[in-house]
Structures are given as structure tokens and as C-alpha cells.
């Protein structure tokens, strides 16, 4: 498909999703709450361990590298500041985004793609069940809730990683570490990270669903769509990240 | 007024014409049998009638309404009135057998969950699958999946039923059960049915009208159409070959030696060259 056709499908899918969420309930077609929660577990809750591991390791290494470099200038007391700003503003949302793309976004594409290939999507349509309402909306809402939640969670784990180094390797007191974090980390940093992760969630789930629903040509098609959905999601997220960082600098 | 009216239906995939001017109609209460060799376009024809594919040209009317140009919301309303049993079942793999049959009821009716449970049991009973409610589609055989597909297609008691090879892969007893079910639904409940089948026994058992799609030069067109008796005594040799299940006839088993060599070479043979 050409880029233009893809973009048109993207906006069409957006419109359909919003229509089902906001207008559906007034037409006797409410959001399928139970399905939303099931997807929250699959997309979000099951990604917690992986998110924790990634964030922890980044918090640790960031503090180690920071300690090394800053101590040369006699500024090792500023390690918490470095950790706080880097994780809250940039690395937290991005890293969690990458984890969720690799783990949950790809799974969504593969699942919807397999359903497409197995004629399940067509069967739904013939049964007068709209696939966007039935399949896409629950995944969309689940992602929109869970990615920011995972990001906050990942932020805290990352900060805890920094604490481990400061506490055990640099003899910094826990109270000092927290105090320095509070000084360095502005609430706006956290909020900007949250806004980012919300936008990432939107992009990731739409790209994943669109790739899945657009599959043609059997198992091979599912594989290709999954790969391209991961690549496209990451690219879209990086571009959005750069734009949002620029926007937040203005404030 | 016919329930289904197909007129001059043409469908091309790229430059391949799969349906080439198909015209027929089905009256209320009839059971229309669609026959034809594998790959001749039977499933494609059904896909057009249920509105999941759009024709290159031609008209399709269901219950008197043109569906080829119908907007999506209206088509959705119309779809509540018919059920489709797909060739390979097309069950939702993530749901159990029972949940699959319940799906149209849960989504498109206001029936109480306890009643839905009952209806699901009844429908599964009809297709001989009592007690399989809690298995996933991956845990049952292909023939069973097909029967679940049929149970799901009739869950909402549709006025019109489409069935794509419902009995292929079933044993003779199960075939008879499914045929009886289709027969009862049409003759007793006045449902209209369109059934694709290769099984001549079951075709003549349930059909009240038949069409045969052609192969080769006549691909994509109806080569015979009429009542079961008319089809049984049809003069066309290709129809006779199909009905009697003969390996060789107008639809050739083997190419002539000349054609065979041409096809192997990918171009016509040169004159005067010995092979
Ligand atoms: N989506 C499609 N794209 C291209 N060709 C198709 C498509 N669907 C069916 N066809 C072609 O149409 C022909 C008829 O297929 P089908 O209707 O499935 O046959 P059958 O009579 O066995 O059910 C086949 O040659 C097939 O290759
Ligand atoms: Mg077929």
C-alpha cells in the first residue's frame, strides 16, 4: 500500500475508534468493559516484569556512569539529579514504550493478523459485529491506560535503581537521595513524561491494530506485518518524542 | 419477490475473471444448491452475496434491496437477517465453542444470559455436538468446527442461510444429520438456504433448485440451472461428468500430447522439429 493510503486508513481507524467510544453508547453499543480489562491484563499487567527489569538496569547504569563522570569534577552529589531528569523526562517513557512495542504491540498485530487470515474478521462482519468496536476499541483503551501506568511504574523502578548505586556504592543516605530527587525533579518533568507516554500509546496501538487488520497472504503475511508494525511503531515514537521534547522546551 | 436476485455478476481478480455474468434468483423457502469444480468460484460467489466482496459489475439484491451500493450501516442491519456458515468454520479461536455459538446472541440480541445458555445448548444439540461447549476450536476436528459454524449461523434463527460445503469432511451419518437439519429448517420453518456442495447424494437430498458453475472455457458462468430432476437428466456432457463423478470427459484428465509439450515448453512447438 502507498503511504497515502496507509495514512488515510490511519485516520479512518482513528475516527471509527472515537466514534465507537463516544457515540456508540448512545446507540445502544457501549464499550465492552470486560474486554477492556482483559486486554489491560494482557497488554499492561503482563508487561510489568519486563518493564521493571529494563528500568532497573537503566537506573543502575545511569547512576554508575554518572558517578564515574561527575566525581571527576567533584560533583558526584549530583548523581540523583542526573538520574531524575534523564529518567523522568526522556528515558522512562521511551524505554517503556520500546518494551511495550516489542511485547504487546507485536502481539496485537500477530493476533489480529491471524484472525484476518483465518477469516475471523470477515465472519464478525457477516454476523453484524463491527471488528473495530469488538477488537480494536478494547485494545486501544487498554493501551491508553496501561502505557502511562507502566511509565510511572518504570520511572520509580529506575529511580530505585539509581538509589541502589548511590546508597551502596557512594554512601549517600536514603533521605539525601530522595531530597535531591525532589529538588531536581520538577513535577512538570513527570507530567511531560506522562503526556509523552499517552501519545506513544495512541501511536503504538493504532499502528499495531492497523498492521494486523491489513494482513494478507497467510502466515508469511502475519510475520511481515508484525515486523513492520514494530519498526513503524518505534519510528513513530521517536519522531513524536523529538517533537514533544521540543514543545516542552518552549514551556 | 425473490429473496436473492443476482444479475450479470462479474468479478475479476486482476486480469482473471472468476465470475463472468452469473444470473439466478432464489425464492423464499427454496434450497438452492451451487455445484462446480474446486476453485471455480463458488465461495467467491457466496462472498459477494453476503456483501463481503464487491463485484466488478452486476447487481445483487437481498430481500429486494440492492446490496452492492448499500452503505455499511444498512448492510449491517440486513446481515442480522441471514447466517453464514463458512467453508472452514471461521470460528473465533480465542473463544470456546459455546462462546462462538453465543456470540451473535450476546452481541445482537437482548436475550437474557440464562436463555442464551439454553439456546446454545439447543443449537449444539442440533448439530450433534452436545457437551463440547467448553473446548476451544483448536481442540476439535475440522468437521466439528464446521458444524459449530453451522450452529453459530443459525443461532439467531435467520430467514436466510448460506452454507459453504457444510458436509465435506463429515462421515455419512453426520452428513445425513446436517442434511436433515437443513431440510427441516427450510421445509418446516420456511427458511431459505443456499448450499455449496460437492456431495451429489446430499445435493439431491436437500436441493429444490440447482446451478452448476462451469470450468475451462465456460469458467465463471452457469452451465446448468434447474430443478434436481432437470439437472439429473441434463444433456450437457460436463454436467453429466460432474454428477456421475467420472474422471475423464469434457473436463480433461490429461492434456493431449501436443498440448502437454506446449505447456511444458511454455510456448508453441516449432514446426518440423521432432520431439
Ligand atoms: N481474494 C482473492 N484474490 C485473488 N484471487 C482470489 C481471491 N479469492 C478467490 N480467488 C480466486 O478465485 C477462484 C475461485 O475461488 P473460490 O471461490 O474459493 O473457489 P471454490 O469454488 O473452490 O470455492 C480461485 O481461482 C481463486 O484463486
Ligand atoms: Mg470454496
Amino acid at each position: 500500500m502507498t503511504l497515502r493510503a496507509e495514512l488515510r486508513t490511519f485516520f479512518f481507524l482513528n475516527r471509527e475508534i472515537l466514534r465507537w467510544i463516544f457515540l456508540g453508547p448512545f446507540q445502544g453499543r457501549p464499550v465492552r468493559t470486560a474486554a477492556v480489562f482483559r486486554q489491560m491484563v494482557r497488554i499492561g499487567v503482563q508487561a510489568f516484569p519486563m518493564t521493571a527489569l529494563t528500568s532497573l538496569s537503566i537506573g543502575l547504569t545511569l547512576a554508575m556512569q554518572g558517578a564515574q563522570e561527575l566525581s571527576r569534577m567533584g560533583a558526584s552529589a549530583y548523581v540523583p539529579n542526573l538520574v531524575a531528569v534523564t529518567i523522568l523526562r526522556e528515558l522512562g517513557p521511551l524505554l517503556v514504550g520500546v518494551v511495550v512495542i516489542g511485547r504487546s504491540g507485536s502481539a496485537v498485530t500477530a493476533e489480529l493478523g491471524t484472525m484476518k487470515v483465518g477469516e475471523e474478521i470477515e465472519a464478525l462482519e457477516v454476523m453484524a459485529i463491527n471488528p473495530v468496536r469488538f477488537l480494536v476499541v478494547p485494545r486501544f483503551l487498554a493501551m491508553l491506560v496501561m502505557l502511562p501506568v507502566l511509565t510511572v511504574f518504570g520511572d520509580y523502578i529506575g529511580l530505585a535503581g539509581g538509589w541502589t548505586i548511590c546508597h551502596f556504592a557512594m554512601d549517600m543516605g536514603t533521605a539525601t537521595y530522595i531530597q535531591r530527587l525532589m529538588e531536581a525533579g520538577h513535577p512538570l518533568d513527570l507530567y511531560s513524561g506522562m503526556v509523552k507516554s499517552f501519545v506513544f500509546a495512541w501511536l503504538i496501538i493504532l499502528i499495531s491494530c492497523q498492521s494486523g487488520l491489513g494482513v494478507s497472504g497467510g502466515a508469511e503475511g502475519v510475520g511481515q506485518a508484525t515486523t513492520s508494525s514494530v519498526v513503524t511503531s518505534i519510528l513513530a515514537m521517536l519522531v513524536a518524542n523529538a517533537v514533544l521534547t521540543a514543545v516542552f522546551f518552549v514551556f | 419477490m425473490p429473496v436473492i436476485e443476482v444479475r450479470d455478476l462479474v468479478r475479476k481478480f486482476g486480469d482473471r475473471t472468476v465470475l463472468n455474468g452469473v444470473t439466478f434468483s432464489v425464492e423464499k423457502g427454496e434450497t438452492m444448491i451451487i455445484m462446480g469444480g474446486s476453485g471455480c468460484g463458488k465461495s467467491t460467489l457466496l462472498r459477494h452475496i453476503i456483501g463481503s466482496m464487491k463485484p466488478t459489475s452486476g447487481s445483487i439484491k437481498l430481500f429486494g434491496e440492492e446490496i452492492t451500493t448499500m452503505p455499511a450501516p444498512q448492510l449491517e442491519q440486513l446481515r442480522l437477517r441471514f447466517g453464514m456458515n463458512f467453508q472452514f468454520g471461521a470460528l473465533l479461536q480465542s473463544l470456546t465453542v459455546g462462546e462462538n455459538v453465543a456470540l451473535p446472541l450476546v452481541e445482537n440480541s437482548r436475550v437474557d444470559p440464562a436463555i442464551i445458555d439454553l439456546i446454545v445448548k439447543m443449537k449444539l444439540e442440533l448439530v450433534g455436538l452436545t457437551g463440547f461447549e467448553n473446548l476451544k476450536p483448536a481442540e476439535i476436528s475440522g468437521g466439528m468446527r464446521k458444524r459449530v459454524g453451522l450452529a453459530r449461523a443459525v443461532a439467531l434463527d435467520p430467514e436466510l442461510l448460506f452454507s459453504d460445503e457444510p458436509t465435506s469432511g463429515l462421515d455419512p451419518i453426520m452428513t445425513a444429520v446436517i442434511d436433515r437439519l437443513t431440510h427441516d429448517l427450510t421445509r418446516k420453518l420456511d427458511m431459505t438456504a443456499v448450499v455449496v456442495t460437492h456431495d451429489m447424494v446430499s445435493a439431491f437430498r436437500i436441493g429444490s433448485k440447482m446451478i452448476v458453475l462451469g470450468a475451462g472455457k465456460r469458467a465463471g458462468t452457469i452451465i446448468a440451472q434447474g430443478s434436481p430432476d432437470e439437472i439429473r437428466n441434463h444433456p450437457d456432457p460436463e454436467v453429466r461428468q460432474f454428477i456421475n463423478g467420472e474422471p475423464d470427459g469434457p473436463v480433461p484428465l490429461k492434456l493431449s500430447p501436443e498440448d502437454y509439450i506446449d505447456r511444458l515448453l511454455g510456448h508453441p512447438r516449432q514446426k518440423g522439429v521432432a520431439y
Side-chain angles (χ1 to χ4, degrees):
Chain A
M1 242 201 291
T2 62
L3 184 66
R4 232 176 98 179
E6 293 274 5
L7 279 176
R8 193 172 317 127
T9 318
F10 182 83
F11 287 115
F12 174 76
L13 192 57
N14 262 300
R15 202 186 68 197
E16 281 292 289
I17 291 172
L18 294 178
R19 190 167 70 83
W20 282 115
I21 294 176
F22 293 110
L23 297 183
F26 300 104
Q27 299 162 345
R29 297 266 174 200
V31 171
R32 299 167 58 239
T33 332
V36 176
F37 281 103
R38 254 198 314 276
Q39 291 301 327
M40 279 166 70
V41 171
R42 296 181 53 187
I43 288 178
V45 177
Q46 289 173 0
F48 264 64
M50 188 62 197
T51 307
L53 206 65
T54 315
S55 306
L56 182 71
S57 98
I58 288 301
L60 283 172
T61 44
L62 205 57
M64 283 195 264
Q65 297 281 10
Q68 162 96 1
E69 290 299 315
L70 290 174
S71 67
R72 269 194 244 162
M73 297 181 275
S76 50
Y78 287 97
V79 171
N81 306 46
L82 176 80
V83 173
V85 170
T86 322
I87 287 192
L88 292 186
R89 274 202 204 150
E90 284 296 329
L91 236 39
L94 265 187
L95 272 179
V96 176
V98 171
V99 168
V100 167
I101 288 171
R103 211 206 137 274
S104 311
S106 60
V108 166
T109 305
E111 188 184 5
L112 295 185
T114 310
M115 294 184 75
K116 177 77 189 292
V117 171
E119 300 179 340
E120 292 178 42
I121 308 276
E122 188 185 344
L124 282 175
E125 278 174 347
V126 174
M127 285 187 280
I129 299 171
N130 186 291
V132 173
R133 184 181 90 87
F134 193 80
L135 299 169
V136 178
V137 167
R139 287 166 174 78
F140 174 82
L141 290 174
M143 183 65 96
L144 240 48
V145 173
M146 289 316 279
L147 190 60
V149 169
L150 280 171
T151 302
V152 173
F153 171 78
D155 284 350
Y156 276 109
I157 300 273
L159 296 179
W163 169 84
T164 337
I165 297 297
C166 290
H167 185 73
F168 294 108
M170 295 164 59
D171 284 332
M172 187 184 281
T174 305
T176 320
Y177 182 78
I178 293 177
Q179 196 186 0
R180 292 223 145 252
L181 283 186
M182 306 263 253
E183 278 168 27
H186 201 272
L188 202 63
D189 293 336
L190 183 67
Y191 298 150
S192 72
M194 301 284 297
V195 171
K196 276 183 181 179
S197 76
F198 188 80
V199 174
F200 296 168
W202 194 300
L203 290 171
I204 293 170
I205 198 63
L206 264 136
I207 291 170
S208 305
C209 288
Q210 186 179 336
S211 310
L213 293 177
V215 164
S216 61
E220 193 187 340
V222 176
Q224 279 169 356
T226 310
T227 308
S228 90
S229 121
V230 169
V231 173
T232 316
S233 298
I234 289 181
L235 281 180
M237 187 176 73
L238 291 178
V239 171
N241 187 50
V243 172
L244 287 173
T245 303
V247 169
F248 289 132
F249 260 121
V250 177
F251 289 102
Chain B
M1 182 192 66
V3 176
I4 305 174
E5 207 178 348
V6 178
R7 190 174 294 273
D8 294 327
L9 183 62
V10 175
R11 175 60 201 245
K12 298 186 168 126
F13 290 111
D15 52 5
R16 241 164 12 117
T17 308
V18 172
L19 298 173
N20 192 4
V22 172
T23 301
F24 68 94
S25 63
V26 184
E27 300 289 334
K28 190 167 170 53
E30 274 183 335
T31 302
M32 168 66 95
I33 304 286
I34 300 177
M35 293 186 284
S38 288
C40 73
K42 303 180 297 296
S43 299
T44 306
L45 178 57
L46 280 191
R47 288 215 156 84
H48 283 86
I49 303 176
I50 61 178
S52 61
M53 279 183 174
K54 296 286 173 215
T56 309
S57 69
S59 133
I60 301 165
K61 284 187 181 149
L62 286 187
F63 308 108
E65 294 181 72
E66 180 65 44
I67 63 154
T68 49
T69 52
M70 191 179 268
Q74 249 170 292
L75 186 58
E76 191 158 293
Q77 281 305 308
L78 200 67
R79 280 171 165 167
L80 293 173
R81 298 171 67 183
F82 64 76
M84 166 84 183
N85 176 18
F86 285 85
Q87 186 169 1
F88 303 105
L91 304 178
L92 269 66
Q93 301 288 330
S94 56
L95 304 182
T96 64
V97 165
E99 286 166 341
N100 263 294
V101 179
L103 195 60
L105 294 154
V106 173
E107 292 297 320
N108 287 326
S109 74
R110 300 192 185 285
V111 183
D112 188 79
I115 310 275
I116 289 183
D117 230 39
L118 259 175
I119 299 178
V120 169
K121 288 215 173 80
M122 277 163 49
K123 300 293 174 187
L124 283 175
E125 167 88 50
L126 281 181
V127 296
L129 284 174
T130 317
F132 287 93
E133 288 95 316
N134 295 321
L135 292 183
K136 286 278 175 74
E139 297 167 331
I140 59 179
S141 76
M144 288 158 89
R145 252 173 259 159
K146 233 175 230 189
R147 285 185 275 152
V148 178
L150 181 58
R152 182 176 72 178
V154 297
L156 279 175
D157 296 323
E159 300 164 52
L160 178 53
L161 171 69
F162 298 97
S163 220
D164 197 347
E165 301 193 16
T167 56
S168 66
L170 299 190
D171 61 68
I173 300 176
M174 247 329 133
T175 302
V177 170
I178 299 301
D179 286 346
R180 164 85 59 82
L181 175 61
T182 315
H183 193 271
D184 286 354
L185 288 170
T186 51
R187 305 294 145 82
K188 293 184 186 157
L189 297 178
D190 217 18
M191 189 189 274
T192 311
V194 178
V195 180
V196 170
T197 188
H198 286 305
D199 186 336
M200 287 307 128
V201 179
S202 93
F204 286 104
R205 192 148 54 190
I206 60 176
S208 60
K209 205 170 166 186
M210 301 181 163
I211 58 179
V212 182
L213 292 177
K217 284 205 181 67
R218 294 187 291 176
T221 58
I222 295 178
I223 57 172
Q225 155 151 239
S227 69
D229 283 335
E230 282 165 350
I231 296 291
R232 215 191 307 265
N233 303 317
H234 205 277
D236 189 286
E238 188 181 334
V239 176
R240 302 202 61 77
Q241 185 193 356
F242 193 82
I243 290 172
N244 299 330
E246 289 152 5
D248 215 353
V251 180
L253 171 66
K254 291 198 185 108
L255 299 167
S256 67
E258 289 78 22
D259 284 349
Y260 183 71
I261 292 172
D262 284 354
R263 199 169 299 184
L264 274 181
L265 291 172
H267 59 78
R269 288 170 305 149
Q270 285 165 312
K271 284 211 175 73
V273 180
Y275 285 89

